[in-house]
């Protein structure tokens, strides 16, 4: 959902957008043309660029696809990403982009709009866990939820992550 109430909806590898908070009208967003490296796969999340609400990131077959002009121009962002399908995405209030590694064990972060990515390891008892959700608290702390129900936190804009033990500190 962007700031004007347009809703992006992904089904399989197709995207549509609806105005007026999804009540319509709806329009198809063109996928990358054949031969474009930004080929889409099952779309589970779209991350609208807050600097340009006509542009957004969606999962691609080998990285993240970036659409400009509501899908008229597509680019593949994969520098620092090791293939895979990045389904858990968020943009922090600082502008840092975060993508959970689909193989687990780390969060990828970009401070240059997605052009390059660096890995931040997750401290999860030595096991590579996959994050299924990322969120930001009002004070800027970042949180991630693992597929197993664990919780991780970053106080450093996603550079470092620690495992939160609910038994040791139930209020975090």
């Amino acid at each position: 959902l962007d700031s004007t109430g347009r809703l992006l909806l992904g089904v399989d590898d197709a995207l549509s957008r609806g105005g007026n908070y999804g009540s319509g009208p709806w329009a198809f967003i063109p996928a990358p043309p054949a031969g474009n490296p930004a080929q889409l796969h099952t779309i589970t999340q779209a991350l609208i660029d807050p600097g340009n609400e006509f542009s957004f990131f969606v999962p691609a077959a080998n990285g993240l696809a970036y659409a400009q002009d509501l899908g008229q121009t597509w680019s593949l962002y994969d520098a620092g990403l090791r293939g895979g399908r990045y389904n858990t995405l968020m943009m922090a209030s600082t502008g840092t982009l975060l993508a959970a590694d689909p193989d687990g064990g780390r969060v990828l972060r970009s401070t240059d709009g997605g052009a390059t990515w660096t890995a931040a390891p997750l401290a999860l008892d030595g096991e590579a866990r996959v994050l299924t959700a990322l969120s930001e608290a009002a004070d800027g702390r970042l949180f991630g939820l693992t597929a197993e129900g664990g919780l991780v936190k970053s106080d450093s804009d996603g550079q470092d992550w620690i495992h939160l033990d609910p038994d040791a500190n139930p209020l975090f």
Side-chain angles (χ1 to χ4, degrees):
L1 186 64
D2 69 17
S3 64
T4 63
R6 281 188 301 266
L7 181 68
L8 286 176
L9 176 65
V11 177
D12 293 327
D13 62 352
L15 283 163
S16 296
R17 70 173 167 83
N20 197 21
Y21 295 91
S23 65
W26 283 87
F28 176 74
I29 295 175
N36 184 308
Q39 293 303 304
L40 306 181
H41 80 94
T42 303
I43 297 169
T44 57
Q45 183 175 2
L47 178 62
I48 297 171
D49 184 341
N52 179 354
E53 55 198 31
F54 295 105
S55 299
F56 51 89
F57 290 92
V58 293
N62 287 310
L64 294 173
Y66 183 70
Q68 296 174 316
D69 304 321
L70 291 174
Q72 298 304 311
T73 306
W74 288 89
S75 303
L76 178 65
Y77 282 53
D78 62 353
L81 300 175
R82 58 177 184 202
R85 297 177 174 164
Y86 294 83
N87 291 322
T88 304
L89 311 170
M90 79 161 284
M91 182 177 287
S93 59
T94 60
T96 298
L97 293 168
L98 301 164
D101 188 327
D103 295 325
R106 63 188 194 150
V107 173
L108 288 298
R109 56 188 305 274
S110 175
T111 57
D112 59 8
T116 59
W117 297 81
T118 56
L122 296 175
L124 293 175
D125 304 325
E127 293 187 38
R129 304 280 171 88
V130 176
L131 291 183
T132 58
L134 287 164
S135 186
E136 183 175 15
D139 63 5
R141 291 180 299 162
L142 303 176
F143 293 91
L145 180 67
T146 71
E148 300 81 17
L151 191 63
V152 294
K153 176 183 83 159
S154 174
D155 292 323
S156 60
D157 198 34
Q159 294 180 60
D160 302 293
W161 294 84
I162 60 168
H163 179 248
L164 297 176
D165 183 356
D167 295 328
N169 186 358
L171 299 178
F172 304 121

